[in-house]
Amino acid sequence: MTGTRAPLTSDPKVRGLAAIVGFLVCVELASGILQGYYTPIFTDIADHLGIQDADVNWFEAAQLIVSALVVPPLARLGDLVGHKKVLLLSTAVTAIGSWVLALAPGFTTFLVGWALQGAYVVWLPLEVAIIHRRTAGTGRQSLLTRRAAAVLVGALELAVIIGALTSGALVESTSMTVLLALPAVAVTLCLVLIWFGVEDVPGESPDGVDWSRFDWGGLALVSAALGLVMAGLVVVRLEGPGSVLAWALVLAGVATLVPFVRHEDARPDPIVDVRLLRSAGQWPVQLTAFLFGMSVLGAQIPLSTFARTDPDVAGYGLGASASFVSTLIGVYVVFMAIGAFTLPLTSRLLGARNALVCSALLVALGYALWLPLHDTTAQALTNMAVIGLGSGALVAALPATAAAAAPSERTGFATGMTNATKTVGGALASSVFAIALAATGSLEGPDEGQAPLSGYLTVWSICAVAALLAALVLLRMPARAATGSPVEEQTTWV
């Protein structure tokens, strides 16, 4: 194991990898800007559009639905025609959506632009698939993929901070049109960088997709299932847990999964490879992504509103200003970057699977700390730092691990599904958390009243338990699957 080894740079497949990762880092910088830029100026955007602050929730709902719907077909299409081509397509759609935001004359147009911008969620999975395929045959494919994914996610998290600081600094000194145009410029530049900087590796169907044999039935069924479930969760947030329509939509979506699974199992080239998702190397990763999405996507608004709550009025909360909430988010994101950048080190020291398990345990610990320790800013910062370390590592590791445990012709699909399941988990948790805090509608903002402390304790408990379950699920994954080594009986659940 410690004998001589040819330098990696002697392999033509590795030479130039740093340059490709560098171009992809630029894409993740744009992704981070999109994810951090708008948060500090939502109130200003509402004023610009002439809407109430509560209507901003529609933006999140629309983008969640689009994100969940576009990832499976785009990820599969990447495997078929080439990941670069689909990365270009999704970037073009994101750029169009970003320019629509800058030029939107009203709420409806802005909502459409915001939904289109959700195409960016497939960027990271496609980038990981590009790197994974680029390093095939090197003997260190999974290691190089994990290292590259860590760099990409670290850049993403740092860009989130840059985006938030930039918009906050410029909002008072320029027009809203110019302010909203800056992210659109960044995404547009990414098109050029991807076009010239990333090599175009042919996919499964280099001569083009035979659309007559494309799995249109599977696409229709998965779109119906996801669309119905996501729509139901949106209605829960809008009308409350007593809405009959909401639960009817959710049940209809779940019921649609039955014919969908049967249809996909019967096809030789399904759009969603259910057989692969059932394999011992995949189902723990995808289930972990779902559980992780509950905290990383679902808990941010409750954490913000808790911090803004005045303890003299509600008997709990930090009474923090908006600037401190930005600091709290900044600490969280910085530690996410640290968790991502140190992933190669922790994977080498602990092993790839154990590094994932420890990351999930850190997330569980961080949210569990909120239960007894939520009275001071120092406690809040400590809790978020612990959560950030684990979350950053998971964001980087999950798509890389999915790629390692998938056949080469399905890497885009496997990595993309980690984002799809994470989005669905976040949407589900967001609705559950809205129910938990619905006593006075605190999700509308700190000035709309306070939910009982028990609501926040419920949120943190769910996040902690979900992360703990994720750690237990990951222990069921064969250790060799996380490193890309062959695993026997890959088609079993246990």
Side-chain angles (χ1 to χ4, degrees):
M1 296 295 292
T2 58
T4 59
R5 178 186 294 170
L8 284 178
T9 53
S10 67
D11 190 328
K13 291 187 176 183
V14 176
R15 289 199 301 269
L17 179 62
I20 293 175
V21 173
F23 282 106
L24 296 179
V25 161
C26 294
V27 178
E28 284 308 300
L29 289 174
S31 176
I33 289 172
L34 292 180
Q35 295 179 53
Y37 192 85
Y38 301 99
T39 302
I41 58 173
F42 273 140
T43 298
D44 303 278
I45 291 174
D47 292 340
H48 172 67
L49 297 174
I51 61 176
Q52 296 182 357
D53 286 353
D55 291 330
V56 173
N57 287 329
W58 279 102
F59 301 153
E60 178 189 29
Q63 197 168 96
L64 281 173
I65 291 174
V66 170
S67 298
L69 291 176
V70 302
V71 170
L74 287 181
R76 178 58 182 147
L77 196 61
D79 290 329
L80 291 174
V81 303
H83 301 119
K84 175 184 174 177
K85 292 184 178 67
V86 179
L87 183 58
L88 280 169
L89 172 64
S90 61
T91 305
V93 173
T94 304
I96 292 171
S98 300
W99 282 112
V100 169
L101 298 184
L103 304 174
F107 171 74
T108 301
T109 308
F110 196 94
L111 183 65
V112 171
W114 195 270
L116 289 174
Q117 199 183 60
Y120 80 86
V121 298
V122 80
W123 288 355
L124 182 61
L126 288 173
E127 291 159 12
V128 171
I130 288 171
I131 294 165
H132 192 265
R133 180 167 291 186
R134 181 67 163 74
T135 54
T138 62
R140 305 183 74 183
Q141 184 181 32
S142 296
L143 173 63
L144 292 173
T145 302
R146 284 197 303 273
R147 287 178 177 176
V151 172
L152 293 175
V153 174
L156 162 69
E157 303 305 342
L158 292 177
V160 170
I161 299 175
I162 294 171
L165 293 175
T166 300
S167 63
L170 296 178
V171 66
E172 300 293 339
S173 59
T174 188
S175 69
M176 185 58 65
T177 299
V178 173
L179 189 68
L180 295 176
L182 295 180
V185 171
V187 177
T188 304
L189 289 175
C190 281
L191 276 172
V192 180
L193 294 174
I194 297 169
W195 185 276
F196 291 103
V198 180
E199 63 184 357
D200 190 5
V201 179
E204 227 181 295
S205 304
D207 298 327
V209 180
D210 184 354
W211 295 108
S212 65
R213 299 179 58 188
F214 190 75
D215 187 12
W216 294 108
L219 177 60
L221 286 169
V222 72
S223 297
L226 288 173
L228 288 167
V229 170
M230 298 294 285
L233 296 177
V234 170
V235 175
V236 168
R237 293 200 60 168
L238 295 175
E239 299 186 3
S243 171
V244 175
L245 173 62
W247 298 115
L249 289 170
V250 171
L251 289 175
V254 172
T256 306
L257 291 176
V258 176
F260 165 71
V261 170
R262 290 176 178 172
H263 175 86
E264 297 300 87
D265 273 338
R267 286 191 62 89
D269 55 347
I271 192 169
V272 176
D273 194 337
V274 178
R275 290 184 294 273
L276 176 61
L277 294 181
R278 285 198 294 258
S279 68
Q282 282 294 329
W283 74 262
V285 180
Q286 304 298 340
L287 182 53
T288 294
F290 173 83
L291 294 168
F292 175 53
M294 298 180 73
S295 61
V296 75
L297 298 178
Q300 302 313 307
I301 292 178
L303 286 170
S304 176
T305 57
F306 177 86
R308 295 294 301 277
T309 300
D310 187 349
D312 294 332
V313 175
Y316 69 87
L318 302 178
S321 63
S323 61
F324 176 77
V325 173
S326 297
T327 301
L328 190 66
I329 294 173
V331 168
Y332 170 65
V333 173
V334 166
F335 276 87
M336 283 188 75
I338 294 172
F341 281 131
T342 56
L343 175 64
L345 175 61
T346 56
S347 296
R348 186 167 68 248
L349 293 176
L350 304 173
R353 184 186 66 177
N354 290 338
L356 276 169
V357 172
C358 290
S359 299
L361 290 175
L362 278 174
V363 176
L365 174 62
Y367 279 104
L369 286 174
W370 274 104
L371 299 175
L373 304 176
H374 52 254
D375 297 323
T376 67
T377 56
Q379 292 172 349
L381 291 170
T382 301
N383 299 345
M384 295 308 295
V386 174
I387 295 168
L389 279 175
S391 296
L394 285 175
V395 170
L398 287 174
T401 305
S408 59
E409 70 276 9
R410 290 282 180 169
T411 52
F413 164 76
T415 55
M417 284 304 297
T418 61
N419 261 20
T421 53
K422 184 170 67 176
T423 299
V424 174
L428 174 63
S430 181
S431 299
V432 172
F433 296 163
I435 294 170
L437 300 173
T440 54
S442 68
L443 288 182
E444 304 294 344
D447 298 327
E448 299 297 326
Q450 290 80 33
L453 177 60
S454 60
Y456 288 101
L457 296 176
T458 300
V459 170
W460 299 327
S461 297
I462 291 174
C463 290
V465 170
L468 181 59
L469 287 175
L472 296 175
V473 166
L474 288 168
L475 287 173
R476 303 300 302 273
M477 180 176 64
R480 287 177 295 171
T483 61
S485 302
V487 179
E488 296 180 0
E489 298 182 2
Q490 280 275 344
T491 56
T492 61
W493 282 89
V494 294

